[in-house]
Amino acid sequence: MNCYLLLPFMLGIPLLWPCLGATENSQTKKVQQPVGSHLRVKRGWVWNQFFVPEEMNTTSHHVGRLRSDLDNGNNSLQYKLLGAGAGSTFIIDERTGDVYAIQKLDREERSLYILRAQVIDITTGRAVEPESEFVIKVSDINDNEPKFLDEPYEAIVPEMSPEGTLVIQVTASDADDPSSGNNARLLYSLLQGQPYFSVEPTTGVIRISSKMDRELQDEYWVIIQAKDMIGQPGALSGTTSVLIKLSDVNDNKPIFKESLYRLTVSESAPTGTSIGTIMAYDNDIGENAEMDYSIEEDDSQTFDIITNHETQEGIVILKKKVNFEHQNHYGIRAKVKNHHVDEQLMKYHTEASTTFIKIQVEDVDEPPLFLLPYYIFEIFEETPQGSFVGVVSATDPDNRKSPIRYSITRSKVFNIDDNGTITTTNSLDREISAWYNLSITATEKYNIEQISSIPVYVQVLNINDHAPEFSQYYESYVCENAGSGQVIQTISAVDRDESIEEHHFYFNLSVEDTNSSSFTIIDNQDNTAVILTNRTGFNLQEEPIFYISILIADNGIPSLTSTNTLTIHVCDCDDSGSTQTCQYQELMLSMGFKTEVIIAILICIMVIFGFIFLTLGLKQRRKQILFPEKSEDFRENIFRYDDEGGGEEDTEAFDVAALRSSTIMRERKTRKTTSAEIRSLYRQSLQVGPDSAIFRKFILEKLEEADTDPCAPPFDSLQTYAFEGTGSLAGSLSSLESAASDQDESYDYLNELGPRFKRLACMFGSAVQSNN
C-alpha cells in the first residue's frame, strides 16, 4: 500500500510521515511531497519531515493532510489520529485526513510530538492500512529574552588594581533554540560603569579599565545588558546589576593633623603617669590603619609614648620624675608609622609623619629634702649630757625656701635643735644599747603639712668602763685531809666591755691572801686560772670556811681590775676523797640556792602562816560579836539568810516588844497561832514611839558592829526590823500573815492597821461572813 502525504507548506514547519508497511517492492509508491518537505528512504520506510509554527494566531491551524493510496474519493475510508497530543493538541478530519493544531504550541515546553495514523474501511470496520507513525516538530521563533539566573551579583576587588584586572563574569541564558538561527546568540554590553569598568561582549567578563581609590569611592554599581540575535534589530534583551566593592590596601600613611601639642605634668607625678594623648589619622581601615607612636627627639630621656591599639592614640607617659626647680619645660618630637606595611607599598610610607610636643612642668609645694638618704653618727659612751652627736640638714626644694624645723620621734636619749644638731640628753651606756635607731622629721615652717622623715643611726662606741668579774658564782670545797698543791677550783672571767682585740684576763691573789699560805692561784694564760692548796691538812671545826680575794685585770686601755671573793668550804672526806659533812651543802648548791634565798623563803612561809592564823582568830571573834545575847540582857532574834528567795515563811523579825519592855509592860497572852502572835507584836509596837533611847542605842550598836567587822562573810546578811513610827503615812506593808489559812479566825484587826488595809479588811471580813 502506498501512503500519500498531502501537507501544505506552513512557515517552514516540517511534518514527518513514515508510511508503515510500504516497501520498495510495492507496486504503488506515490508520495505527494509539498514544497519545503524532505523525503528520504531508510530500510524500506518513507520519512517525511514537516514543520509547524510555534506561534499561531487562530484557534485551529491546519498542519497537513494524510492520504492513503486506497482512498478513491468515495468517502469509504475513515482516518484516525492516535498518540500523545491526539484529540487535545491535534485533531484529524476523518473524511479528508487533514490534521489541525487546536492549541498554541510552545517549543520551550515541547518541541516534538510523535503521533500515529490509521485508515479504516467504513463498511467493514477493518483497517485497510497498517498503523503508521509520524513526527510533528515545532519550529522556534525568538519569543524569549535573555535572563541572568545568578543574580544578585557582588564582587570585591582591591583598590588601585591595574587595568585589565578581572572583577567578575556574568552569564545570561536564552530559552530559545540555539540551533535555530541567532535566536539564542547573546551579546553583552555595559550600560553603566564607565570609565572604570568594561565587559567582554561574548563572555560577560567584567574587567577594570581604570585605577580606583577606595578613599574617594569604595563601591560602584555596574549595569550589564545581554541581547539575543547578536544585537540585530528586533532582538530581545535583559539587564543585571553588579555591586563592585573596593577592598583597602595600605596606600596611605598616618598623618598628624596637629603640628603642635601642649601638655602639662606636675613635678610630684610618679614615673609611669600618663600626661596626655596625641592622635594621628589614617585614611585606610582595618589593620592597614594600625599605627605605632614613638619618640623621635628627646635628649632628656624623660618621656615615652605608648600606643593604645584600641583607639589608635599615642599616650605620653613620664619615664623619669621631673623637678620644676631644675627644669620647668620640655620639648620633644614624636613620629607615627603604620604597623603593617607590604613591601610593594613601601613607596607610600617613605617619610613618617611627625609632630612637636611642648610639656610644661607645674610647680607644687614639695616636702623638705634631706641632703643624705640616711645618717650614721658615732659617740663614745659615758659622755656627759648635752654632748654633740651630729648634724642633719634638710632644705625646702621650692623657690620660697621655707625654714625647716626638726624633731625626733619618740626618743628620750637624744634632742635636736632648729639647726639640725643632735645632742644627748642622758649618759649613754654601750653595754645597755650599742645602737640607736632614730627617726628625724623635718617640717616646713610655712606649711606644716609638708613633712619628711629620715633614719639616723647612732653607734655608741665602747670605753673600758667595766672591770672583769667571775663568769659564774663559784662554791668550792676542800677536804680536811687535802694535800698541798691539790687543785680545788678552776675559775674564768667575763667583761661586758667590747674589746678591739680579744679579751685577755690576768688572775692574782690579793696582797693579804698572798701572805696567807693556805691557797695559791696559777694563771693559765687562756682567761682561766686554777686554785690550789698551799698546805697540808684543814680543820673543819676550827676553820670551816675560807674567803679568798682574787684580783682580775683586763687588757683594756686603761686596764681595769676587780676584786672577786671565792668561798671555800672545808669538808669531812673519807679515804677515797668523797665528802660526807658537806652533803647537804652540795645538795643546796646543786639546786642553785644561796643562803640569802633560803632565808627569804623561810620568812615568806612564816608570813603566810601568820596571816592564816590571824584570819582564823578574827573569824572566831566575829562569831562571838554576832551573838551577844549570851552576855547581854536584851533579847533579840538574829537570822542569817542563805538564799534570797525563801518567801514570807523564811523570815522572822526581832521581838521588838521585848526591847521596849522597860517603857510599857503588857501581859503576855497565850499564842494560839503564828499569825495571832505576829498581830499581837504588831499592836504592841504601835504603842511605842521612835524616841525610845534603848531602841535607838541597840540599832546604832548593831550598825556599828556590822560596819566595823572586817571578818563578816560577804554572803551573810544581818537583818533588823525597826519601828516605822506611829502615825506613819506609809504604814506597814508586811505580808507575814499571808500564810495563815484558818478561816474561823477573825480579821477585824485589819481595820486597825491603817487606811491602806481598809479594803483588805473589808474583803476578808465579808468573806468570813459569807462563809459563816
Side-chain angles (χ1 to χ4, degrees), residues 29-242:
K29 189 184 286 186
K30 293 188 290 185
V31 178
Q32 294 183 2
Q33 181 176 340
V35 179
S37 64
H38 304 279
L39 174 64
R40 66 177 179 173
V41 178
K42 185 177 181 181
R43 293 190 185 98
W45 296 91
V46 178
W47 295 88
N48 291 289
Q49 182 174 338
F50 298 95
F51 297 91
V52 64
E54 182 179 0
E55 296 287 345
M56 295 186 302
N57 297 326
T58 59
T59 303
S60 177
H61 183 77
H62 185 263
V63 176
R65 182 181 181 186
L66 300 179
R67 185 173 180 81
S68 174
D69 291 342
L70 300 179
D71 188 359
N72 53 11
N74 56 3
N75 296 327
S76 60
L77 298 179
Q78 180 182 7
Y79 296 92
K80 288 187 177 181
L81 191 63
L82 305 174
S88 59
T89 304
F90 300 98
I91 60 174
I92 191 171
D93 189 339
E94 295 179 352
R95 300 296 181 186
T96 62
D98 292 320
V99 179
Y100 298 93
I102 61 175
Q103 285 187 356
K104 184 178 180 180
L105 303 179
D106 189 353
R107 188 201 65 83
E108 285 71 37
E109 293 182 1
R110 186 168 184 176
S111 61
L112 189 67
Y113 295 88
I114 300 176
L115 301 173
R116 301 189 307 278
Q118 191 177 30
V119 181
I120 299 174
D121 190 346
I122 297 176
T123 57
T124 62
R126 299 177 61 182
V128 297
E129 291 279 356
E131 187 177 280
S132 298
E133 185 178 77
F134 64 95
V135 176
I136 299 177
K137 188 175 183 181
V138 182
S139 62
D140 182 57
I141 63 173
N142 191 19
D143 60 342
N144 291 280
E145 70 276 5
K147 293 183 179 180
F148 294 90
L149 303 180
D150 296 329
E151 292 181 319
Y153 290 97
E154 184 174 326
I156 299 176
V157 62
E159 64 171 330
M160 308 303 293
S161 297
E163 297 181 7
T165 301
L166 174 65
V167 179
I168 193 174
Q169 182 180 13
V170 296
T171 303
S173 62
D174 196 324
D176 293 327
D177 187 3
S179 62
S180 176
N182 297 322
N183 291 344
R185 294 183 61 184
L186 304 180
L187 188 67
Y188 299 93
S189 61
L190 188 66
L191 299 183
Q192 178 180 314
Q194 298 89 354
Y196 302 108
F197 302 97
S198 62
V199 64
E200 294 181 357
T202 57
T203 61
V205 173
I206 301 175
R207 297 182 182 276
I208 291 177
S209 58
S210 177
K211 285 187 177 182
M212 292 168 288
D213 189 354
R214 188 201 62 83
E215 286 70 39
L216 297 178
Q217 185 175 348
D218 59 352
E219 63 182 22
Y220 296 84
W221 282 98
V222 176
I223 298 177
I224 303 297
Q225 183 186 60
K227 278 188 176 183
D228 58 11
M229 296 183 65
I230 60 175
Q232 294 178 359
L236 302 178
S237 63
T239 59
T240 187
S241 298
V242 182

Side-chain angles (χ1 to χ4, degrees), residues 485-644:
Q486 181 177 346
V487 177
I488 63 171
Q489 185 68 57
T490 300
I491 61 175
S492 61
V494 293
D495 193 340
R496 290 189 293 168
D497 289 324
E498 182 183 29
S499 178
I500 300 176
E501 302 176 354
E502 289 188 8
H503 284 293
H504 188 75
F505 304 114
Y506 305 94
F507 300 88
N508 287 294
L509 293 178
S510 63
V511 178
E512 295 82 3
D513 291 332
T514 303
N515 298 329
S516 175
S517 60
S518 297
F519 300 95
T520 185
I521 187 171
I522 297 178
D523 193 341
N524 296 328
Q525 300 298 318
D526 60 353
N527 293 339
T528 64
V530 293
I531 308 298
L532 301 91
T533 58
N534 200 22
R535 64 184 175 88
T536 301
F538 295 89
N539 193 326
L540 175 62
Q541 301 299 327
E542 296 179 359
E543 291 182 294
I545 298 177
F546 289 90
Y547 297 99
I548 301 175
S549 298
I550 299 176
L551 302 179
I552 306 176
D554 60 15
N555 60 338
I557 300 175
S559 178
L560 296 180
T561 302
S562 66
T563 300
N564 301 267
T565 302
L566 178 66
T567 303
I568 301 176
H569 298 271
V570 178
C571 300
D572 183 15
C573 304
D574 55 16
D575 295 337
S576 62
S578 300
T579 60
Q580 295 178 351
T581 307
C582 301
Q583 291 296 329
Y584 175 73
Q585 296 172 341
E586 290 179 358
L587 177 62
M588 297 302 294
L589 179 62
S590 63
M591 294 175 63
F593 290 113
K594 295 183 180 180
T595 304
E596 295 82 356
V597 177
I598 296 174
I599 294 174
I601 293 175
L602 292 176
I603 293 174
C604 291
I605 294 174
M606 294 175 63
V607 171
I608 292 173
F609 277 103
F611 179 76
I612 293 175
F613 291 145
L614 178 61
T615 303
L616 294 176
L618 292 175
K619 286 185 177 180
Q620 185 66 24
R621 179 175 176 274
R622 179 179 176 279
K623 290 181 179 179
Q624 295 176 359
I625 295 174
L626 291 177
F627 298 96
E629 68 275 4
K630 297 180 180 179
S631 59
E632 295 181 4
D633 294 334
F634 299 103
R635 292 184 301 136
E636 60 183 352
N637 295 324
I638 299 176
F639 296 91
R640 182 174 61 198
Y641 297 91
D642 290 331
D643 80 303
E644 300 174 359

Side-chain angles (χ1 to χ4, degrees), residues 307-486:
T307 304
N308 186 338
H309 293 290
E310 293 183 359
T311 62
Q312 300 303 317
E313 292 179 324
I315 304 174
V316 183
I317 62 173
L318 186 64
K319 191 164 63 175
K320 295 191 306 184
K321 285 185 67 66
V322 293
N323 191 327
F324 176 83
E325 289 72 27
H326 180 262
Q327 186 175 352
N328 57 17
H329 67 276
Y330 293 85
I332 62 176
R333 182 170 292 277
K335 66 178 181 179
V336 63
K337 62 179 182 178
N338 280 130
H339 189 67
H340 304 282
V341 181
D342 295 334
E343 291 294 334
Q344 60 270 24
L345 298 174
M346 286 299 297
K347 59 183 180 180
Y348 298 107
H349 303 268
T350 54
E351 295 183 3
S353 177
T354 62
T355 188
F356 193 75
I357 305 174
K358 286 186 176 182
I359 302 174
Q360 182 68 36
V361 180
E362 295 180 343
D363 185 25
V364 297
D365 192 2
E366 299 175 272
L369 180 65
F370 283 92
L371 300 182
L372 296 176
Y374 61 90
Y375 291 86
I376 299 178
F377 299 123
E378 296 178 347
I379 185 172
F380 283 98
E381 63 177 333
E382 301 297 338
T383 56
Q385 178 181 353
S387 298
F388 174 80
V389 178
V391 178
V392 298
S393 179
T395 59
D396 183 7
D398 299 315
N399 290 332
R400 64 179 179 177
K401 301 299 179 183
S402 172
I404 305 299
R405 294 177 180 176
Y406 301 92
S407 62
I408 298 180
T409 304
R410 295 186 300 275
S411 177
K412 298 180 179 180
V413 183
F414 299 94
N415 188 24
I416 189 170
D417 59 16
D418 289 341
N419 296 324
T421 302
I422 303 174
T423 57
T424 61
T425 58
N426 292 305
S427 180
L428 304 179
D429 189 352
R430 191 204 64 83
E431 286 69 38
I432 296 178
S433 179
W435 283 91
Y436 289 90
N437 299 331
L438 307 179
S439 178
I440 304 297
T441 301
T443 306
E444 290 186 10
K445 181 178 179 181
Y446 297 150
N447 186 0
I448 61 175
E449 294 182 356
Q450 297 300 330
I451 300 175
S452 295
S453 298
I454 194 171
V456 175
Y457 308 100
V458 179
Q459 183 181 13
V460 181
L461 302 179
N462 180 68
I463 62 173
N464 194 18
D465 59 342
H466 290 86
E469 56 188 9
F470 280 152
S471 61
Q472 65 183 46
Y473 176 76
Y474 294 104
E475 194 79 25
S476 303
Y477 302 91
V478 60
C479 293
E480 287 182 306
N481 56 358
S484 178
Q486 181 177 346

